[in-house]
Amino acid sequence: MSLDDLFSARDEPVVEEPVEAPVVRQKSKALWLLRNALLVAAATTVTVAALRAGGLHAPLILIIAAFIGLRLILLAVSEVAPPPLPKRPGGGSGASSGPASDALRAAVRRWERTLDRANADPDLYSRNVLPVLAELADERLRLRHGITRASDPRRARELLGDPTWAALHDPGRRAGKTRELESLVDALERL
């Protein structure tokens, strides 16, 4: 036989072997009961020996009842099916590095959409964007300087600067242009 014969692509008949169904064994109830009884007896023996070695005494019926109860709980728990895994939303790019990056990406997209809509709707800007920026300013002031805008307004105004202070305290203010928002974020980062 030559190598050409070995590697040639000719159709050969495929013989399918019959697949047998897996054999399901029925567990004997007597064997199951005997196994559990031996398990409880062994655990009871070890516990009683350990208690006696330690100079303690406990009623034998209490120890047996405790191990029977524990075994029944373990058997009940083994019969409960685990909850189904949460379904992951379909779509998205295959280049993501895990669920954490997907959550971060979703949050960034959500903020991008909110900021885009806020440019056209000053009410949306004052309801959604300004409160978050004010929270960020208060948190930065608290962490870096030990104050908030409410606790020491004079010092907070000095630290934030007048343009940032005015932007955070004018709820009817129209959404700023991209440069104004960038300068506001830069002022918060400098805190």
Side-chain angles (χ1 to χ4, degrees):
M1 183 182 270
S2 69
L3 287 176
D4 290 333
D5 292 336
L6 283 175
F7 295 114
S8 65
R10 63 177 177 215
D11 292 334
E12 294 183 17
V14 178
V15 179
E16 291 186 28
E17 296 180 17
V19 179
E20 295 180 18
V23 178
V24 179
R25 288 182 160 184
Q26 293 292 333
K27 292 184 180 179
S28 168
K29 289 185 181 184
L31 185 61
W32 177 83
L33 189 60
L34 178 65
R35 193 180 99 220
N36 282 310
L38 287 174
L39 185 63
V40 168
T44 302
T45 304
V46 170
T47 303
V48 168
L51 286 174
R52 298 253 167 97
L56 299 171
H57 179 70
L60 185 61
I61 192 75
L62 180 66
I63 296 171
I64 293 171
F67 280 116
I68 289 174
L70 180 62
R71 187 64 187 151
L72 288 174
I73 289 172
L74 290 174
L75 289 170
V77 167
S78 69
E79 294 297 319
V80 175
L85 294 174
K87 293 185 179 182
R88 299 181 83 181
S93 67
S96 67
S97 62
S101 66
D102 290 342
L104 180 62
R105 187 174 292 124
V108 168
R109 283 190 196 122
R110 186 174 59 245
W111 271 104
E112 285 174 346
R113 285 191 303 269
T114 300
L115 289 172
D116 285 343
R117 287 189 314 235
N119 277 329
D121 185 5
D123 190 41
L124 181 70
Y125 178 78
S126 64
R127 269 193 338 250
N128 291 344
V129 178
L130 273 181
V132 173
L133 291 175
E135 274 184 52
L136 286 172
D138 280 338
E139 187 65 16
R140 291 284 246 186
L141 286 169
R142 185 185 66 76
L143 288 174
R144 303 270 170 102
H145 304 283
I147 63 169
T148 62
R149 291 176 304 133
S151 68
D152 191 356
R154 184 191 57 77
R155 176 92 171 109
R157 187 175 191 150
E158 287 174 9
L159 291 168
L160 289 170
D162 286 333
T164 305
W165 180 266
L168 294 176
H169 282 85
D170 188 9
R173 185 174 185 270
R174 184 161 174 78
K177 295 184 176 160
T178 304
R179 280 191 191 154
E180 292 173 13
L181 283 175
E182 284 178 2
S183 65
L184 181 65
V185 170
D186 286 340
L188 293 178
E189 286 179 352
R190 279 191 306 262
L191 278 179

